[in-house]
Amino acid sequence: MKTSIQPKDYRFVVFADEQAKFSFLTRSTAKSDETIKWTDGNEYPLVKMQISSASHPFFTGEEKIIDTEGRVDRFKARAKKAAALKNQLGNKAAKAKKEAAKKAEKADK
C-alpha cells in the first residue's frame, strides 16, 4: 500500500443525526469546527448529518408498501368502463344514422 496517498488526519469523529437524535463515534478525516463530549468523557469533533440510517425510511423499515394489486384492479375497472362508454356511444351514433336515413327516405317519397 502506498503510504504517500493515505490521509494524515485520520481521527475519531462523532457523526450526529439531529433529526433522529442519533449519533455514533467512528474514525474519519471529515473536517469540523464543532466538538462534542462523548459518553467516554473525551471530546471529539462533531459532524452533523441531515439523514442517517436512523432517520432514512429505507433503513428503518418504514417505507410505503405499494398496493400494486389494487392499482391493477382499478386500472382494469377504468378500462372496462371506458370500453362500455365507447360501445354505448357507438350504438347511439348507429341509431342516429339509421333515423337520419329513415327521415331522408320519407323526405324523398
Side-chain angles (χ1 to χ4, degrees):
M1 194 160 63
K2 294 182 181 180
T3 57
S4 61
I5 61 169
Q6 298 301 317
K8 303 283 186 234
D9 58 346
Y10 202 63
R11 68 206 188 290
F12 283 102
V13 177
V14 174
F15 287 90
D17 181 355
E18 295 176 336
Q19 181 182 0
K21 298 191 182 349
F22 172 73
S23 56
F24 58 94
L25 178 68
T26 187
R27 293 179 53 101
S28 175
T29 60
K31 307 283 186 229
S32 177
D33 296 330
E34 298 180 62
T35 60
I36 190 171
K37 191 166 188 157
W38 192 243
T39 56
D40 63 1
N42 294 328
E43 199 164 301
Y44 298 105
L46 173 67
V47 176
K48 294 179 181 176
M49 303 179 298
Q50 293 180 357
I51 195 163
S52 71
S53 63
S55 62
H56 193 280
F58 178 77
F59 294 107
T60 60
E62 296 174 4
E63 70 266 12
K64 289 184 178 179
I65 298 172
I66 298 173
D67 179 21
T68 55
E69 185 176 326
R71 292 188 331 175
V72 170
D73 291 340
R74 286 192 305 265
F75 174 78
K76 287 180 179 178
R78 281 196 317 264
K80 186 177 180 181
K81 186 177 176 181
L85 183 61
K86 183 178 178 182
N87 190 18
Q88 184 183 13
L89 291 174
N91 290 342
K92 280 185 180 179
K95 188 176 180 181
K97 191 175 183 181
K98 284 181 185 178
E99 288 179 11
K102 284 183 184 179
K103 283 183 182 181
E105 210 175 279
K106 285 183 182 180
D108 288 338
K109 287 185 182 182

